[in-house]
Amino acid sequence: MNTNVLEINGLKKHFGEKQVLQGLDLFVPEKKVFGFVGQNGAGKTTTMKIILGLLAADSGMVSVCGEKVHYGNTKTNRFIGYLPDVPEYYSFMTPAEYLRLCGEIAGMPAEEIKARSTEMLELVGLGSEKRRIRGFSRGMKQRLGIAQALLGRPKLLICDEPTSALDPMGRKEILDVLVAAKEETTIIFSTHILSDVEHICDEMALLNGGKVVMQGTIEEIKQKRRSTATELRLEHEADAKALMRAFTDLPKMPSGDLILNDPCKLPEIMRYIADNRMEILRIEKQEATLEDIFLETVQKTA
Amino acid sequence: MKAFLRKEWMETLRTGRLLILGIIFFIFGLMNPAIAKLTPWLMETMKDSLAESGMLVGEVTVNAMTSWTQFYKNGLMCVIVIVLMLSGVLVNEYMKGTLVQVVTKGLSRRKVFFSKMITVYGLWTLMFLLYFGVTFGYTVYLWPEDKPENLVFGAACYWIFGMMLLAFLLMFSAMANNAGQVLMGVGGVVAVLFFLNYVPKLQKYLPLRLTEGLSLSMGGLAAKDFVPAVIISCICVVVCGIIGVVTFDKRNL
């Protein structure tokens, strides 16, 4: 049975007048890539900082691998690897020197630091980089961030919007590295880029208004909102108009597709099309995208 | 903590901080006896122009004491330089966000603060030794026969004064968000000290007394007159340290 690496119960946090988290509950099972999705300002970074003991919560409970998280010096950080949204390093160091510092801080044996640093730098494509970090691009810094986060074989890897500030090439590189890292750790991946979630996540939680409004596997979430609508495209415009006259609840989308919301009417429509010898270009069941679900949920709870 | 301390020294070396401080303190140290030695010559060259404005320059005699007088005058400049150079020692890390990674890797905040403390105090001690050593060596070379008394004790008092200000610097660094706030805090402490120094009864307790080591060699004050100020300064170092550690434990990184 899968256990939860991370459990959050009733987490609340406010900044001044603004209530950022309003009783957030979240459970992250082991060995999954978990998408933490929400608009900018939804409270993703705040939640992550509380998990890391970098921010104090107003109320609620956070536990990592069964141990409670405390603000300030929290021991639970030994289970966690963290990649901030814009990672900053000591620019006067080389990547290998920085990883050595991280390894020593984490209390790893010297031999292991050496072997693991080489392995991680190879994984993120910085194996041959001997320059100091000062001259690194954003993508290179992000990749080094993953290397340092994975160095100590954490049980939980927290990535705060790792792809948001990158170009398509850099994004792909990071996603590939995360997919490779999936073998050894549980990953929480906060983002507002839904295609990235679809690409690499097993499960996701949708954060809105300081609460988790939806959580489950990507398939479950899509299933919940699986549309029953059917898209219909006819060859000739005149046929489409005739069909719309015959069936009133068959709206036409800007793309030219006719949308049928009631599936019971489909046989009747098909019969009409056959009787009138209309030519069909396409007939397809509509699939809900994560984007649709996201927008719909955000609007509903707004 | 060893790892983070090594990072501190690597930073001090690679960012050129050690080199810059070394050059400045070396030049300051060298200037004290050099200026003393050059004073008669300077007076001689300016004699005529001074005579025109009605000032008569008599025989100027310089000795080792002239050099040590300069040592105490320039000491304050040294303190200002080190405070300016180290004002960002912690706040620069908050501003860049570099501490987040090391803290989330499991390094305790206390170890971070103690490493910074060791680095700051270590640098000041090293630089002050350089400053004292260069002045001492060159002064002995120029005036081998002339050896004022209580030189080491007087200099040690100055070193303690620097330690006290750096303790305030570290404490303000735990609270502030930028180097400007740290400098304002340390500047404020110095301003308060100068203000309190107007009260004669307080003078012997104030750390400012520690900058008057020259009086020890000239015979104005005795070593025991410095004891209250030394004790007060040491208390400041300890109290600032405790407040700094406690504040840093809870601050937002």
Side-chain angles (χ1 to χ4, degrees):
Chain A
M1 200 186 98
N2 266 350
T3 48
N4 290 326
V5 176
L6 171 71
E7 292 192 9
I8 301 179
N9 286 305
L11 196 63
K12 287 188 181 170
K13 174 77 188 170
H14 77 282
F15 292 111
E17 298 268 293
K18 194 170 186 246
Q19 190 72 36
V20 180
L21 301 177
Q22 312 192 30
L24 180 129
D25 299 303
L26 188 71
F27 306 93
V28 179
E30 236 173 2
K31 303 276 176 206
K32 298 275 183 203
V33 180
F34 192 93
F36 195 39
V37 182
Q39 291 166 290
N40 286 333
K44 301 188 293 288
T45 301
T46 306
T47 311
M48 292 187 158
K49 286 195 166 171
I50 293 174
I51 300 171
L52 288 156
L54 294 172
L55 265 181
D58 297 340
S59 64
M61 210 272 296
V62 181
S63 69
V64 176
C65 296
E67 283 184 31
K68 205 173 165 224
V69 172
H70 297 278
Y71 171 57
N73 288 314
T74 180
K75 287 190 175 142
T76 45
N77 279 350
R78 71 184 189 279
F79 300 123
I80 304 177
Y82 174 50
L83 172 65
D85 47 354
V86 187
E88 285 298 338
Y89 308 95
Y90 298 115
S91 54
F92 51 86
M93 288 181 165
T94 64
E97 284 168 347
Y98 188 76
L99 291 193
R100 184 180 163 200
L101 170 72
C102 292
E104 285 175 346
I105 286 172
M108 288 165 69
E111 295 280 298
E112 199 193 335
I113 295 175
K114 216 171 171 192
R116 187 81 178 147
S117 297
T118 316
E119 187 189 337
M120 286 299 103
L121 290 175
E122 286 297 331
L123 174 77
V124 299
L126 292 173
S128 54
E129 198 55 70
K130 299 280 178 276
R131 276 184 303 165
R132 291 190 187 167
I133 301 168
R134 194 187 314 268
F136 276 24
S137 71
R138 216 168 205 177
M140 287 165 90
K141 281 186 181 175
Q142 209 71 263
R143 281 184 280 145
L144 177 59
I146 296 183
Q148 64 81 24
L150 287 173
L151 186 73
R153 299 179 201 278
K155 291 207 163 122
L156 178 64
L157 173 65
I158 297 183
C159 305
D160 190 1
E161 306 216 4
T163 55
S164 300
L166 302 179
D167 59 24
M169 193 62 202
R171 252 176 71 196
K172 192 183 173 306
E173 284 170 358
I174 297 293
L175 293 178
D176 289 347
V177 173
L178 289 179
V179 169
K182 188 178 161 177
E183 301 301 317
E184 33 181 290
T185 183
T186 307
I187 303 173
I188 300 187
F189 169 62
S190 94
T191 188
H192 56 259
I193 303 171
L194 293 152
S195 58
D196 288 354
V197 175
E198 268 188 292
H199 202 82
I200 69 162
C201 294
D202 306 303
E203 286 197 25
M204 64 168 274
L206 183 56
L207 184 66
N208 193 45
K211 277 183 188 163
V212 171
V213 288
M214 207 181 262
Q215 180 175 347
T217 63
I218 305 293
E219 203 42 44
E220 275 168 4
I221 285 183
K222 281 183 163 182
Q223 201 79 44
K224 258 184 216 169
R225 173 50 187 71
R226 175 142 289 161
S227 168
T228 49
T230 306
E231 291 171 5
L232 191 68
R233 166 79 66 103
L234 297 175
E235 172 78 54
H236 305 293
E237 184 65 25
D239 290 347
K241 280 183 180 159
L243 198 63
M244 281 165 73
R245 273 196 298 275
F247 300 90
T248 46
D249 53 347
L250 204 60
K252 192 176 177 188
M253 301 310 281
S255 59
D257 290 340
L258 303 178
I259 301 292
L260 171 65
N261 286 312
D262 180 5
C264 303
K265 281 196 177 160
L266 190 59
E268 206 181 319
I269 291 176
M270 295 302 281
R271 201 172 304 124
Y272 183 87
I273 289 173
D275 289 348
N276 293 283
R277 298 194 177 276
M278 292 174 172
E279 275 181 66
I280 301 175
L281 262 187
R282 189 165 64 88
I283 178 158
E284 195 177 297
K285 198 146 196 201
Q286 209 179 38
E287 184 81 5
T289 63
L290 276 184
E291 201 168 333
D292 296 332
I293 299 169
F294 177 71
L295 290 173
E296 195 176 283
T297 316
V298 167
Q299 276 158 11
K300 219 187 277 174
T301 46
Chain B
M1 189 158 118
K2 221 172 89 189
F4 197 72
L5 256 179
R6 198 175 42 238
K7 169 251 147 189
E8 284 297 319
W9 284 99
M10 192 189 271
E11 184 172 10
T12 308
L13 278 174
R14 291 194 182 171
T15 55
R17 191 190 280 160
L18 188 71
L19 186 71
I20 295 168
L21 280 174
I23 291 172
I24 293 175
F25 277 70
F26 182 82
I27 290 173
F28 277 154
L30 207 61
M31 264 165 57
N32 301 327
I35 285 177
K37 190 71 185 170
L38 290 174
T39 306
W41 175 79
L42 277 172
M43 288 301 185
E44 192 59 40
T45 49
M46 290 165 72
K47 202 174 175 180
D48 294 340
S49 59
L50 286 172
E52 278 171 24
S53 51
M55 289 167 79
L56 282 177
V57 178
E59 190 71 17
V60 181
T61 51
V62 287
N63 53 23
M65 271 318 287
T66 324
S67 166
W68 288 107
T69 310
Q70 283 298 323
F71 174 84
Y72 284 100
K73 272 189 190 163
N74 286 334
L76 201 61
M77 283 302 291
C78 291
V79 174
I80 292 171
V81 167
I82 197 109
V83 166
L84 281 175
M85 288 287 285
L86 297 179
S87 59
V89 73
L90 257 171
V91 288
N92 284 353
E93 298 229 23
Y94 312 143
M95 286 164 80
K96 284 190 200 148
T98 40
L99 280 180
V100 171
Q101 255 119 285
V102 289
V103 168
T104 53
K105 275 266 171 293
L107 185 66
S108 82
R109 289 171 181 237
R110 293 201 174 174
K111 284 182 181 168
V112 173
F113 198 78
F114 286 136
S115 303
K116 294 285 180 187
M117 233 179 208
I118 293 171
T119 309
V120 167
Y121 292 156
L123 262 179
W124 166 241
T125 306
L126 205 67
M127 289 303 131
F128 194 77
L129 278 174
L130 177 70
Y131 177 61
F132 178 78
V134 170
T135 302
F136 185 84
Y138 200 19
T139 307
V140 169
Y141 170 75
L142 291 174
W143 296 280
E145 304 303 316
D146 202 355
K147 285 192 183 125
E149 284 174 13
N150 284 324
L151 276 182
V152 175
F153 183 73
C157 285
Y158 219 117
W159 171 76
I160 295 173
F161 176 72
M163 292 288 277
M164 185 219 56
L165 281 187
L166 291 172
F168 275 102
L169 176 134
L170 283 162
M171 182 186 80
F172 289 123
S173 296
M175 303 168 178
N177 292 319
N178 57 54
Q181 291 171 353
V182 175
L183 289 176
M184 269 167 63
V186 177
V189 170
V190 175
V192 169
L193 286 178
F194 274 112
F195 181 73
L196 293 176
N197 207 35
Y198 282 115
V199 186
K201 275 187 184 169
L202 288 179
Q203 278 170 359
K204 74 170 181 176
Y205 299 102
L206 292 177
L208 277 182
R209 167 60 59 90
L210 302 179
T211 62
E212 294 166 19
L214 188 64
S215 321
L216 273 170
S217 308
M218 307 247 290
L221 292 166
K224 68 174 170 46
D225 297 321
F226 285 73
V227 174
V230 168
I231 293 173
I232 297 277
S233 299
C234 292
I235 292 172
C236 284
V237 170
V238 174
V239 172
C240 286
I242 294 169
I243 297 175
V245 166
V246 173
T247 317
F248 187 67
D249 260 353
K250 291 290 168 204
R251 80 157 285 146
N252 196 352
L253 297 177

